[in-house]
């Protein structure tokens, strides 16, 4: 059948790369979670990722993205951090079943460095994500989320995995947008959330 060979080999590569999520523990029995910790610039944060909304409290402000509404740049200037973190929640809890499409893209250098990453590309509505898995270590090292074709992405990089009770999750999350750093989150705790 026309195009079947490409689909077959893409599925093999996709399955191989998705095994890199196993280093983070199995989140597929969860629906959502809550992250708490400290900002590198000072202060605390509390982030809730549920099936209906994502919220972030930090610096005396609360930011909200409801998922029955269009994707927004929340917090402003982040490129859509709350949408991006929800994409991560979906990726961890549902893997390829969460998206309209998820395909293996190939390998490329991460952020122009010598580190090579396998790239998966997902789409869900107008939102596109590029997921980066270390070729050497095979773990998820970051991802970029674009709210629309003409928007700069919210770039998220993971510095290291930490052990949190029964799961492994990044203990440091670096967020960039445009040409500047937006924030660095140091995760101290993670717990289930509906």
């Amino acid at each position: 059948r026309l195009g079947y060979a490409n689909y077959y080999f893409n599925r093999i590569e996709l399955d191989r790369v998705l095994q890199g999520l196993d280093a983070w523990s199995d989140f597929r029995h969860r629906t959502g979670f809550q992250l708490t910790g400290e900002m590198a610039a000072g202060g605390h944060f509390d982030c809730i990722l549920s099936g209906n909304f994502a919220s972030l409290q930090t610096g005396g402000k609360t930011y909200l993205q409801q998922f029955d509404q269009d994707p927004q740049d929340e917090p402003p200037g982040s490129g859509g951090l709350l949408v991006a973190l929800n994409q991560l929640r979906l990726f961890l809890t549902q893997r390829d079943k969460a998206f309209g499409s998820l395909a293996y893209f190939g390998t490329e250098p991460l952020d122009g460095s010598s580190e090579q990453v396998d790239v998966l590309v997902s789409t869900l509505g107008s939102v596109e994500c590029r997921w980066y898995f270390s070729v050497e270590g095979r773990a998820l090292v970051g991802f970029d989320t674009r709210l629309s074709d003409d928007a700069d992405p919210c770039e998220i990089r993971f510095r290291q995995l930490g052990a949190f009770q029964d799961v492994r999750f990044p203990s440091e999350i670096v967020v960039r947008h445009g040409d500047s750093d937006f924030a660095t989150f140091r995760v101290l705790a993670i717990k289930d959330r509906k």
Side-chain angles (χ1 to χ4, degrees):
R1 193 169 79 188
L2 186 63
Y4 182 77
N6 284 343
Y7 172 83
Y8 174 77
F9 289 112
N10 191 284
R11 186 74 234 182
I12 288 174
E13 289 299 305
L14 184 61
D15 289 343
R16 176 187 63 81
V17 174
L18 283 173
Q19 288 177 355
L21 291 178
D22 294 341
W24 284 40
S25 306
D26 191 349
F27 282 82
R28 288 177 281 191
H29 65 284
R30 303 169 194 270
T31 56
F33 38 91
Q34 181 174 1
L35 308 173
T36 55
E38 299 172 345
M39 306 294 293
H44 296 278
F45 76 89
D46 184 13
C47 181
I48 297 172
L49 304 169
S50 78
N52 300 323
F53 71 94
S55 68
L56 174 66
Q57 291 182 329
T58 186
K61 296 182 179 177
T62 300
Y63 306 96
L64 178 67
Q65 171 68 62
Q66 295 181 337
F67 298 123
D68 60 354
Q69 299 175 357
D70 291 338
Q72 302 294 317
D73 180 16
E74 286 291 340
S78 68
L81 175 61
L82 291 181
V83 172
L85 291 175
N86 184 61
Q87 297 286 304
L88 177 62
R89 177 190 69 84
L90 292 170
F91 196 42
L92 293 175
T93 60
Q94 300 177 39
R95 299 203 177 183
D96 56 330
K97 295 173 182 64
F99 304 103
S101 68
L102 179 67
Y104 178 72
F105 187 78
T107 60
E108 63 185 46
L110 180 64
D111 300 328
S113 71
S114 60
E115 180 182 3
Q116 291 291 309
V117 290
D118 283 308
V119 181
L120 302 182
V121 177
S122 68
T123 58
L124 182 61
S126 66
V127 178
E128 179 184 276
C129 291
R130 294 173 59 89
W131 305 93
Y132 305 120
F133 289 78
S134 170
V135 168
E136 185 176 318
R138 297 194 176 201
L140 179 63
V141 295
F143 67 107
D144 296 346
T145 301
R146 192 177 300 271
L147 299 184
S148 63
D149 289 341
D150 58 349
D152 284 336
C154 177
E155 303 171 8
I156 295 179
R157 302 295 178 266
F158 307 120
R159 292 249 171 96
Q160 64 186 48
L161 284 180
F164 300 95
Q165 295 176 340
D166 61 338
V167 299
R168 291 179 55 78
F169 193 85
S171 58
E172 192 166 277
I173 301 171
V174 178
V175 181
R176 289 183 52 82
H177 177 62
D179 294 327
S180 61
D181 290 345
F182 178 77
T184 298
F185 298 86
R186 295 184 179 134
V187 179
L188 300 178
I190 179 172
K191 63 182 181 180
D192 284 346
R193 183 80 186 212
K194 296 271 183 200

